[in-house]
Structures are given as C-alpha cells and as structure tokens.
Amino acid sequence: MTSSPSTSAPRKPQRRRGELGPVARVGTHVTLSVASMIALFPIFWLLYLSLGPDKDDYLHPGGIAAKATLDNYWFVLTNTAFFDWLWSTMVVAGGTTLFGVMSAATTGYAVSRMRFPGNRTLMWVLLLTQAFPIAVLIVPMYEIFSRLGLVDSHFGLILVNCTTIVPYCSWLLKGYFDTIPIELDEAGMMDGLTPFGTFWRLILPLARPGLAVAAFYAFITAFAEVAFASTFLLDDSKYTFAVGLQSFISEHDAQWNLMAATAVLIAIPVTIFFYLVQRHVVTGLTAGGVKG
C-alpha cells in the first residue's frame, strides 16, 4: 500500500518589520495626495486670479477662464516700480542673510565650544528677545536708528531684521555645532590654527546643512517682513516687495488682480533660492536636534 505525498498549504509571505500593508499603503498615498492638493491650492488659485483683467474678478472667479490675459503682468512690469522693489528686496534679504547668519554662526559656535561666565545665560537672553512683539520694539528702535541716521536706508533695515533673525539662528546653529565632534577643534589647534581659523576652515564646511537652514529662514523672513520695512523705509524708490504691494490698496479701492500678478512674480526669487539650498535643508533640520 502506497501513501500519497502529503500536501502542505503555501506559506504566506511574511511582512518585514515596518512594512505597510496594501490597505495602509493606499491610505498613505490618498492622505499625501489630499495634503498636497490642500498645500498647492492657494498657489494655483493666486495664479488663476492673476489672469483676470478686472480688479473685481475675484468676486466672480468663474468668468476668469473665458477672458484670461497676461496684461496684469505686463502692467506690473512696465507701469510700477517693480524692478526697484526687486533690487531693494534682494539687497535687504541678501544682506540680512549674510550678516545675520554669520553673526549667528559665530555666536552659536562660541556658546557650543567655549565655557565662559554667562554663556548659558546669553542663549536664554537671546531666546527671551523672541517673546517681545514687534509692535513693542518698533518705537524705541526707530528712535535709536533715527539718531544714528539709519532710517530710510537698506543698511538700517538689515540691522533691524537681524534683531529677530540672529537669536533664532544662534539657537539653531548652536544645536548643529554640538553634533560636530570637538576633537576636530583640538586637531586644528594642534596644527597651529587659531580659534577663528579652526571655525572658518574646519567647522563651517561641516556645518553647511545647518547654515543652509539658517540662511533659508533668514532670507524668507527678511523677504516677507512688512512691519519694520513699512516703518523704516520712507522713500518709495527703496520699498521692498512687501511694502510695494500696499501701493495697490487705497482707502476705497484695492486692485486685487494686480496684487495677485505681483505676488506670483515675487514668488520667483524665493523659489530659485529654495532650489539652491533645498538639498541641505532636510539634513540641517534633522541634525540640529540631536544634541544641545
């Protein structure tokens, strides 16, 4: 009597640890798609409104598609001080980024590496400055800068912006410097480098992702800042974009179509800057929170 070979049920493939199931994958993709649509909708809506030829088209957006035009962009580029605003904005944002990030980098490095009386107190004082609202700071700062002759100047606005940017970036970069081994500093000292030489030649190249995050924050903050710019800039030829947009609004009227077209044009420099630093941004955001 022969026995038939035993048949065994096929094994189900085991799911690896952390691997999502089919339902979870579909749910994740749907969630991310919806989140992307929510994030992108304001951008597409602004672009859509900028194509309307009339200032009141935003009240009846359904009719814009039938009469869409690029005349708003042409008007902004040829009949406004757009390029003066562009130059002023680039000077202020670029100067704030350069001066603010370097000041924050030296401050963060000093607190991270050096032990001096009040080093921890210094960082807490910098953090405390972020608790004061801008409305409280404008009046005394305007008085000080007026006496120094820095009102209505790009350099004065750069210094004002640094008062809000340097404290935050100092904390950010201090946390990033903490992740860099101190043995590198000691090796630089043994090779004859001064403390500043060690900072400049060894530490800063390694801190490039953290510097990219700080630079992006400084640039965006200075680029979009309104309160300080509208207070410290008096000459309309020195206006930044944030202040120049106010010229489309009067007491009884607002040219929303021109504002939308200007806003789309304004987004181009920010997009270019983000593209240049985006490969370092994620690394810098995650590394800065490891220690400190």
Side-chain angles (χ1 to χ4, degrees), residues 86-259:
L86 175 63
W87 169 251
S88 296
T89 303
M90 291 296 102
V91 169
V92 172
T96 301
T97 301
L98 180 63
F99 186 75
V101 172
M102 288 309 301
S103 299
T106 53
T107 302
Y109 177 75
V111 177
S112 174
R113 291 296 195 264
M114 304 175 185
R115 295 296 176 262
F116 53 89
N119 63 328
R120 295 185 64 85
T121 304
L122 172 63
M123 296 304 292
W124 286 110
V125 170
L126 290 176
L127 184 62
L128 182 62
T129 61
Q130 304 296 288
F132 294 95
I134 293 179
V136 176
L137 302 175
I138 285 181
V139 174
M141 292 182 66
Y142 188 90
E143 179 68 20
I144 295 172
F145 278 70
S146 178
R147 293 184 179 182
L148 295 175
L150 295 176
V151 175
D152 197 26
S153 69
H154 291 150
F155 180 68
L157 184 58
I158 289 173
L159 293 181
V160 171
N161 287 333
C162 286
T163 61
T164 59
I165 289 170
V166 170
Y168 174 79
C169 290
S170 296
W171 270 93
L172 174 70
L173 292 174
K174 189 264 182 188
Y176 194 87
F177 289 137
D178 286 343
T179 66
I180 299 177
I182 197 172
E183 287 77 12
L184 291 176
D185 301 66
E186 297 171 352
M189 297 292 184
M190 293 179 63
D191 289 340
L193 293 176
T194 63
F196 182 79
T198 302
F199 166 73
W200 184 260
R201 299 179 62 179
L202 296 180
I203 305 302
L204 276 188
L206 295 176
R208 191 175 301 167
L211 294 174
V213 176
F216 182 71
Y217 169 79
F219 185 86
I220 294 298
T221 301
F223 193 95
E225 201 281 321
V226 178
F228 285 142
S230 59
T231 301
F232 286 84
L233 296 180
L234 307 178
D235 187 352
D236 55 0
S237 64
K238 299 179 181 179
Y239 284 171
T240 60
F241 278 138
V243 183
L245 279 174
Q246 299 179 10
S247 63
F248 297 116
I249 302 176
S250 62
E251 184 178 357
H252 304 289
D253 192 16
Q255 297 171 306
W256 297 107
N257 56 330
L258 299 180
M259 289 183 64

Side-chain angles (χ1 to χ4, degrees), residues 1-7:
M1 180 176 180
T2 59
S3 60
S4 60
S6 60
T7 58

